[in-house]
Structures are given as structure tokens and as C-alpha cells.
Amino acid sequence: MSVLIKPIITEKATADSELHNRYGFMVNHSANKLQIKDAVEATYGVSVEKVRTMNYGPKRSTRYTKTGIQHGKTNKVKKAIVQVAEGDIIDFYNNI
């Protein structure tokens, strides 16, 4: 089970990382805060102070087509906001 799926790179997340030293990640929906902390520390070599998680349920949609009503949904998502120690940074753009 890989805990970290991908980093969240948006304008809001980038501003949060520059101002408050917090970084966003899409994580596995069954991962807890301790597993997320250990995965970030092992992957990026930083010390994590705090982890906040958010669960988003699937978004449901309905389409009316020639063949009838089509129902669909997106996947559920779990996001984690990780605050690292002062002086530590995570560089998503550097190719290691």
C-alpha cells in the first residue's frame, strides 16, 4: 500500500507552502495520520510537525441520453495537509 499518491500543486497550496510551511498531498483513503507522517518523512527527508486530513466523498452525476438515464460517480478522495518544521522545505520541482 503506497500512502502518498501525489502532491497537490495549486495556487492555494503553493501560497500556503511559501507562507506557512504547509504542503498538500493526495493520500490513500485508508491511511491514518501516523502513516502519512512516516511516509512524508521517509520520502522527502523532513521532520513533520502536524498532519491534517480531509475526506471527500464521491460526486454523483446524472446524464440524460438517447439510451436512457446514465448515473455516474467519481472516486472518493482523501487529502492531507502536512506542516513541516521551520527551516525544512519540500521541493516538488527538483528532479532528484
Side-chain angles (χ1 to χ4, degrees):
M1 173 180 91
S2 64
V3 177
L4 300 177
I5 297 173
K6 65 179 181 178
I8 298 173
I9 302 174
T10 59
E11 287 184 31
K12 187 175 182 179
T14 304
D16 206 26
S17 66
E18 291 172 355
L19 296 175
H20 303 291
N21 225 14
R22 293 189 291 230
Y23 299 91
F25 294 95
M26 301 285 273
V27 296
N28 191 332
H29 67 273
S30 62
N32 60 25
K33 292 183 180 187
L34 295 176
Q35 292 172 338
I36 295 168
K37 178 182 176 180
D38 292 340
V40 171
E41 287 178 346
T43 305
Y44 296 103
V46 296
S47 58
V48 175
E49 290 182 348
K50 186 181 266 191
V51 177
R52 299 178 182 101
T53 59
M54 299 170 276
N55 284 311
Y56 290 96
K59 294 181 181 175
R60 301 180 189 282
S61 64
T62 304
R63 294 185 306 274
Y64 299 96
T65 63
K66 287 191 239 179
T67 58
I69 298 174
Q70 301 291 319
H71 299 285
K73 68 178 183 71
T74 61
N75 294 329
K76 60 183 176 180
V77 175
K78 186 171 189 176
K79 296 181 183 179
I81 305 298
V82 177
Q83 184 168 353
V84 299
E86 184 106 12
D88 288 346
I89 59 169
I90 297 175
D91 189 12
F92 294 129
Y93 303 108
N94 188 9
N95 293 334
I96 298 174

